[in-house]
Amino acid sequence: MSITTENKNKGKVLVVGAGIAGLCSAYYLLKAGWEVQVLDKEDGQNNCSIGNAGMIVPSHFTPLAAPGIVAQGLRWMLDSKSPFYVRPSLNPDLINWGLKFLRHANQKHVDAHAEAIRDLNLYSSQLYDILKDEVGFDFELRQNGIMMLYKSKAAEHEEQELAERARALGLDAVPYDKDGIQALEPNLRLDAVGGILYNCDGILSPSKLMHGLTVLLKEAGVTFNYQTSVEGFQVSGNKVTAVKTSKGTFDADEVVITGGASLPHLVRSLNIKTPLMPGKGYSFMVEPPENTAMQHAALLVEARVAVTPMNGQIRFSGTMELGPANDKIYTNRVKGIVEAIPNYFPDLHVSYPDKVWYGYRPCSPDGLPYLGRSSRYQNVLIAGGAGMMGLSLGPAFGKTIADLLDGNNPQTNIQGFRPERFQ
């Protein structure tokens, strides 16, 4: 394995954060001829980019802040096993985030940004295809679509309407009735009235991708500084000259800040506002019964559970639990995932898992990522806040950052994702 790079030394870039956005930024910057160092406050073994559903989702062109989500969320708050929950709190950051979310949860907002979200996801999907051939290791990339499975006529109506909007945006979304969707999964009995297959979507193994990229970058000369917390920045005029950390000061010509759900804390001392709420999600792995291998990943519409064949097993993941971060596993949330599974897959008898993973999706109040150059500092770039699309958008984030540093125009329209739109 090796990385083909331009024979140039354009300068030193410090990438803050070793999640998928940070690793992809490091990869494309290195290829472009930059010297790269990565800082991360943890050990790189268990961030949100590793335990997620592993889905590449151009189908997710509707931001989290969408019509109906507020009313649905209020109903779900009465159910301790519901897939969406806002933990009541007087935390000022949560209140501020909630007010901004309410202002954006409308159809005008959705319509204004659907094409830009679609384009960034499609671009990222194309980059994954290229990456698979470039990196020389297997991360189980399968571009064979994701099924949306539904059990009720109400959900069928909503999903058919969404599929029509997807097709109007040029996405490949095919509706199937009960028999048709079952034919897509000959080895596993389904209990659904129908489904939509989004052929534009794909899946991969996040752990294999993250581990492989880290090894590849280290072998290519990228320095990783783990257990290194950012404590502030040295600023001269409108430039950051160095990053102050728990393990000393790191100078840099350019600074790329990713950092996942920690992004607001990282940029606060720069007086940059990137409001985010950590959306806790859970996942666990299950060994499927013999001869029941899944052909496609699925999203269980009513239950909001993601089902991904991965590493010879099946990963189940779900819930969106908004509120200040903590290290507690709320068992009823996990039970909600477990109990939803046999409702769609009668032959999958899943017990409460021995090992439950959790991580935090970085959710912006308008459901859009933060991507681009800072308008306050000429050498600071930000890539984060992708919510449930973090893994999906990783390569597009990284390549866009590299293009911006090289003075090239991004391949898609990122104007609506500007980092300081809430200043």
Side-chain angles (χ1 to χ4, degrees):
M1 296 188 297
S2 63
I3 299 177
T4 303
T5 63
E6 294 184 20
N7 294 320
K8 298 178 181 179
N9 186 357
K10 297 177 179 177
K12 185 185 297 184
V13 182
L14 201 60
V15 176
V16 180
I20 187 63
L23 294 190
C24 286
S25 295
Y27 177 80
Y28 289 108
L29 287 166
L30 190 69
K31 280 176 64 67
W34 294 86
E35 179 186 341
V36 183
Q37 283 197 68
V38 178
L39 308 180
D40 197 276
K41 66 177 181 178
E42 297 178 354
D43 60 7
Q45 300 299 310
N46 195 37
N47 57 44
C48 195
S49 298
I50 289 176
N52 62 65
M55 293 182 167
I56 304 164
V57 285
S59 61
H60 286 30
F61 58 86
T62 301
L64 179 63
I69 190 64
V70 175
Q72 180 68 75
L74 290 172
R75 290 193 295 271
W76 273 335
M77 283 189 72
L78 302 176
D79 181 0
S80 63
K81 296 179 181 178
S82 67
F84 182 83
Y85 183 69
V86 180
R87 206 161 54 248
S89 170
L90 294 178
N91 179 285
D93 289 337
L94 176 60
I95 294 171
N96 180 273
W97 185 96
L99 292 173
K100 287 182 170 62
F101 184 89
L102 288 171
R103 287 202 296 271
H104 289 91
N106 58 72
Q107 193 61 47
K108 180 181 178 182
H109 174 67
V110 170
D111 293 342
H113 298 286
E115 290 187 8
I117 297 173
R118 173 205 62 190
D119 290 348
L120 197 62
N121 269 297
L122 286 172
Y123 178 48
S124 209
S125 180
Q126 294 164 4
L127 289 172
Y128 267 125
D129 289 333
I130 297 169
L131 191 67
K132 178 188 67 173
D133 297 327
E134 286 182 345
V135 297
F137 63 85
D138 178 29
F139 52 91
E140 296 188 19
L141 180 66
R142 291 166 58 177
Q143 297 277 26
N144 67 334
I146 296 176
M147 303 184 298
M148 308 294 168
L149 300 179
Y150 38 78
K151 293 181 62 67
S152 67
K153 287 296 181 181
E156 178 179 42
H157 177 71
E158 291 177 2
E159 290 301 314
Q160 296 261 4
E161 283 193 342
L162 188 63
E164 286 182 13
R165 293 203 293 275
R167 287 190 291 274
L169 287 167
L171 298 173
D172 188 350
V174 182
Y176 289 90
D177 61 14
K178 183 180 180 69
D179 292 336
I181 205 73
Q182 179 63 77
L184 295 176
E185 288 297 326
N187 303 319
L188 190 60
R189 187 159 56 102
L190 305 181
D191 186 356
V193 301
I196 310 291
L197 178 64
Y198 282 88
N199 288 300
C200 52
D201 290 356
I203 58 172
L204 55 80
S205 168
S207 58
K208 288 185 177 181
L209 174 65
M210 296 293 290
H211 174 73
L213 270 180
T214 301
V215 170
L216 186 63
L217 290 168
K218 287 179 178 179
E219 291 177 349
V222 174
T223 302
F224 282 77
N225 302 275
Y226 293 120
Q227 309 289 342
T228 304
S229 299
V230 173
E231 297 178 344
F233 300 88
Q234 289 181 1
V235 177
S236 177
N238 65 347
K239 291 190 70 173
V240 169
T241 57
V243 179
K244 295 182 284 187
T245 80
S246 58
K247 293 188 176 178
T249 300
F250 295 81
D251 64 334
D253 299 305
E254 302 279 353
V255 179
V256 177
I257 304 176
T258 62
S262 299
L263 180 61
H265 171 74
L266 289 169
V267 299
R268 189 167 292 148
S269 65
L270 292 172
N271 294 316
I272 296 174
K273 296 177 182 178
T274 55
L276 288 176
M277 261 302 121
K280 183 184 283 185
Y282 302 98
S283 74
F284 53 87
M285 303 294 288
V286 170
E287 196 75 36
E290 192 173 353
N291 300 319
T292 59
M294 286 188 71
Q295 304 301 308
H296 303 83
L299 286 166
L300 313 183
V301 172
E302 292 91 344
R304 300 294 199 275
V305 170
V307 186
T308 314
M310 189 183 299
N311 304 332
Q313 299 177 297
I314 300 176
R315 173 169 287 173
F316 295 96
S317 49
T319 81
M320 175 67 83
E321 185 182 299
L322 291 167
N326 61 44
D327 59 1
K328 184 175 180 179
I329 292 176
Y330 293 90
T331 57
N332 273 354
R333 300 275 161 215
V334 181
K335 286 179 181 177
I337 300 173
V338 171
E339 292 171 6
I341 295 166
N343 292 334
Y344 296 81
F345 302 101
D347 296 332
L348 293 181
H349 305 289
V350 178
S351 302
Y352 190 93
D354 295 328
K355 185 177 181 180
V356 177
W357 177 93
Y358 71 87
Y360 289 98
R361 309 175 189 91
C363 300
S364 67
D366 58 3
L368 306 175
Y370 298 109
L371 179 61
R373 276 196 177 275
S374 165
S375 59
R376 300 168 65 88
Y377 302 93
Q378 69 179 59
N379 66 334
V380 172
L381 300 94
I382 293 172
M388 293 185 289
M389 299 180 293
L391 183 97
S392 184
L393 292 177
F397 273 11
K399 187 63 169 67
T400 298
I401 290 296
D403 283 340
L404 290 171
L405 278 180
D406 279 350
N408 300 324
N409 291 327
Q411 293 297 304
T412 71
N413 178 14
I414 62 169
Q415 180 61 27
F417 309 144
R418 59 191 184 279
E420 286 143 320
R421 60 185 180 270
F422 290 107
Q423 292 292 116

